[in-house]
Each structure stands twice: as structure tokens, then as C-alpha cells.
Amino acid sequence: MLGVNSDEDREAAKKSLVREQLTWPNWWDDGRIDGPIHTTWQVLERPAIHILDGKGVIRYKNILPKDVDEAIDGLLEELAKATP
Amino acid sequence: MLRLIVSLAICLILASRSAIADETVAAKQYKALLDEYEQEGGVRTFAKRFLALAEEHWKDPAATDALMWVVKKVRGRADTTRALELLAANHLDCKKLGAASVDVARSRSLAAEKLLRAALAKSPHVEVRAQACYYLALLLDSEAGITEQLKASPDLAPRVLQYYGADYGKHLSSLDSGELAEEREQVYETLLKSFGNVETEDATLGKIAEKALFAIRHLAVGKVAPEIQGEDIRGNELKLSDYRGKVVMISFWGDW
């Protein structure tokens, strides 16, 4: 799990990491929804969740939170089969 | 011989006079219809009358205006389709098709797609070809969006048929997302190469095309994700490609 944060204030972003007990690494995108990472990825709406497989290939875009578990389980299974 | 030339000349004068007279009649009728519609309203009834006017005076520029009125105003499928077909058959050389492309694309149908393709291929005006190319690309984008939704939830198929009508609905359900992506790539390539300098309100068509091509080539499902490299919130180096070999979920979020 990786995050791209677009809070205006980097300190505020740090605080929400602590408050929400987020344990995964997060890029901070210059405090803007039009920051360089958002721009490259053409993210217009937040939150936006994408899932990549073990090869770095985009497998799900703008997936709904309720579908995340099933998607990840499927990809992990795929990964386990590919690396015996 | 001289007599023949004279009589030919007279014929030509008469013909052009009657053409001018006819033009005026059609233009007058078009304006009268517009006034009448303003007073009475009733898009459906007037659609038929604008169509009849366009069919009767199909050589007249006012016919183009009448057909564009139908495309812009009418949401009913049959009349809009007829208007789009008549535009493609009789008015491909009309300069106004450029400004009308937005309404053509918005009417989302097979006939709209055909008209935009024909205008892109055959219009003598570069502005019309540019607009037709841009709105064809947007129409294909919306088709790609629908195809994606259908893939994710196949139970939407009956609603697609109901909403887009049998013809276009079936077309949408039968589209192959890979082929569609290839086609969108070609159309955006054309937009970039042939009409890249054309300005729009937001950006040049070239900039718009570059952004769309990047999304098709690098941000679509099935493509290797673009690298993200930089510092994390706490200041540590963080690189997306270091996570190869793992399933990665990326969340774009903020506390807003």
C-alpha cells in the first residue's frame, strides 16, 4: 500500500498520518491536486485507488473500496502461482 | 454558334437567379420557423418541419442550419439520426459543420460517429476537419468509458440498450476495448499531427492530444504504471518501481 497525499501543508499531512495511524509510505505531492504526481497520473478526483500487479502493470483503476479485498486476493494468488 | 452561346448564357443567368430566389425562400422559411418555435415551443413537431425544409431545399445553406437545429435541440433518436444522415449526405462541404461538431458528438449515435468520420475525411475546410477530429476522439473516449463500465458490471447491458437505443446500444456492447484503444490512439495521433496548433479555450488541440495519448499508452488497465519517485512525507526516498514483485495499491488522498 502506497499513498499520494495532496494536503496543502506537509506538516498537516504528517499529522494525519499519525492520527489515522497510517503505516504505509506516502509521497507528498507538493500540496496540490495539480501537483506533479497527480498531473502525470491525471487524477481529477480524490480519493482514487489504483491497483498494480507484481509486474507493475495497472490492473484496476478507480476501484471502489468494497471491491479492493477481492481484487488484491486475486492478484496475490496470481503472484503466488507465478513464483513457485 | 453565337445563338447557342447566347441562349446558354441566358440559361445560366436564369438558373442562377432561380437559385438565389430559392435560397431566399429557404432562408426565409427557416427564420419564420425559428420565430414560430420561439412563440409556440414543441421541439418534436418543429423537428419534423425543420427536417422537411432541409429535404425540400437540400442545396440551400439554410438546409444546413435547419438540420443543425434538429441535432442541437432534439433528443428523440429517429429525427436526430435523420438529420445527421442528411448532413453527411448533402452538407459535408459546409463550413458550419465545425462549430456544430460539439452537438453532433453530444447526440451520441452511430450516425453521429459516421458524420464526424466523414467530415474528418472529406471536408474541404481545415477548421471543420480539426473540430470533427477532436469531437470524434471525445465520442470514442465516451465509448471507451461505457465499454469499461460494461466490463466491470455486465448487468448494465440492458440499461445501455435502453438509453442509447438498439443500434448504438448493440454497437457499444460489441466493442472490443483493445481495438477501441488502438482506434482512439490513431485519432489522437491525427489530432496531434494535423491539427496540433489549433487553439481551444483550455489548450491547443496538440496539448490535449498529448495528454490523451499518454493516458491511453501509460495509464490504462494493462499498461505498466509510470514511475513515481520522490520523498515521502517524512522525508525518506520513495520509489514506486522498488515495489516490483509485490501487489501495490496506490491511493491518492488528502485530509480535505
Side-chain angles (χ1 to χ4, degrees):
Chain A
M1 169 84 195
L2 299 172
V4 183
N5 175 281
S6 51
D7 282 333
E8 247 175 72
D9 179 357
R10 193 161 170 161
E11 286 309 309
K14 243 190 227 177
K15 272 178 203 157
S16 48
L17 278 191
V18 176
R19 191 184 62 237
E20 307 290 337
Q21 302 185 330
L22 304 187
T23 52
W24 57 83
N26 279 275
W27 286 278
W28 181 67
D29 201 14
D30 226 16
R32 298 177 287 139
I33 185 143
D34 58 352
I37 305 175
H38 281 75
T39 303
T40 303
W41 282 71
Q42 301 186 15
V43 175
L44 300 176
E45 278 173 49
R46 301 163 301 177
I49 303 173
H50 307 322
I51 300 180
L52 319 183
D53 66 15
K55 291 175 183 149
V57 172
I58 302 171
R59 298 291 293 271
Y60 296 91
K61 279 194 80 180
N62 297 311
I63 188 168
L64 296 174
K66 71 174 174 66
D67 298 327
V68 163
D69 283 351
E70 200 186 325
I72 289 184
D73 284 347
L75 290 177
L76 285 175
E77 218 167 282
E78 215 174 89
L79 198 62
K81 272 182 200 161
T83 49
Chain B
M1 186 61 193
L2 185 65
R3 198 191 272 177
L4 184 65
I5 291 173
V6 170
S7 61
L8 261 179
I10 290 172
C11 274
L12 277 175
I13 290 167
L14 285 176
S16 61
R17 272 210 185 146
S18 74
I20 290 165
D22 188 43
E23 205 179 294
T24 325
V25 169
K28 271 185 192 160
Q29 283 183 6
Y30 172 70
K31 276 182 196 141
L33 266 184
L34 274 185
D35 287 343
E36 225 180 299
Y37 169 74
E38 287 298 321
Q39 307 257 315
E40 295 172 24
V43 172
R44 283 190 179 187
T45 323
F46 277 87
K48 306 263 186 258
R49 296 177 68 187
F50 278 108
L51 277 174
L53 171 72
E55 293 198 56
E56 191 185 342
H57 303 278
W58 63 277
K59 279 188 178 170
D60 193 288
T64 326
D65 295 329
L67 294 171
M68 285 172 186
W69 186 92
V70 176
V71 173
K72 193 183 174 92
K73 291 270 187 184
V74 183
R75 285 286 152 259
R77 225 140 261 294
D79 289 335
T80 314
T81 301
R82 183 78 189 125
L84 292 164
E85 285 169 356
L86 286 170
L87 281 169
N90 302 329
H91 304 279
L92 272 187
D93 53 358
C94 179
K95 216 172 179 172
K96 290 176 188 166
L97 270 187
S101 293
V102 53
D103 295 318
V104 173
R106 219 174 261 162
S107 78
R108 301 208 268 188
S109 62
L110 277 177
E113 205 181 305
K114 269 188 200 156
L115 174 58
L116 291 171
R117 283 182 203 282
L120 170 59
K122 292 178 191 157
S123 171
H125 310 288
V126 64
E127 352 22 344
V128 174
R129 293 199 301 277
Q131 294 301 318
C133 186
Y134 178 41
Y135 284 101
L136 175 62
L138 293 186
L139 184 61
L140 295 177
D141 283 352
S142 92
E143 291 180 5
I146 296 165
T147 313
E148 231 169 78
Q149 276 184 322
L150 274 174
K151 226 187 203 174
S153 16
D155 48 317
L156 284 177
R159 275 169 64 192
V160 167
L161 277 179
Q162 195 184 10
Y163 187 78
Y164 292 103
D167 284 353
Y168 194 48
K170 258 184 216 157
H171 174 69
L172 290 171
S173 305
S174 71
L175 284 172
D176 175 85
S177 56
E179 280 171 29
L180 188 56
E182 263 173 48
E183 208 190 344
R184 286 167 59 222
E185 201 172 343
Q186 281 169 14
V187 175
Y188 274 114
E189 282 274 5
T190 307
L191 195 65
L192 179 63
K193 284 185 189 147
S194 308
F195 313 111
N197 294 328
V198 177
E199 301 274 352
T200 73
E201 271 178 37
D202 307 322
T204 60
L205 290 182
K207 282 268 170 255
I208 292 171
E210 276 171 0
K211 196 173 160 188
L213 284 169
F214 185 83
I216 294 168
R217 290 169 183 161
H218 304 292
L219 298 174
V221 168
K223 304 292 179 187
V224 174
E227 176 68 301
I228 308 177
Q229 191 173 8
E231 277 181 13
D232 74 3
I233 294 176
R234 296 193 168 88
N236 305 314
E237 240 347 88
L238 182 59
K239 199 171 160 191
L240 177 60
S241 57
D242 285 346
Y243 289 81
R244 284 283 163 86
K246 291 180 178 164
V247 174
V248 175
M249 176 165 126
I250 303 181
S251 167
F252 290 80
W253 66 283
D255 192 21
W256 61 94

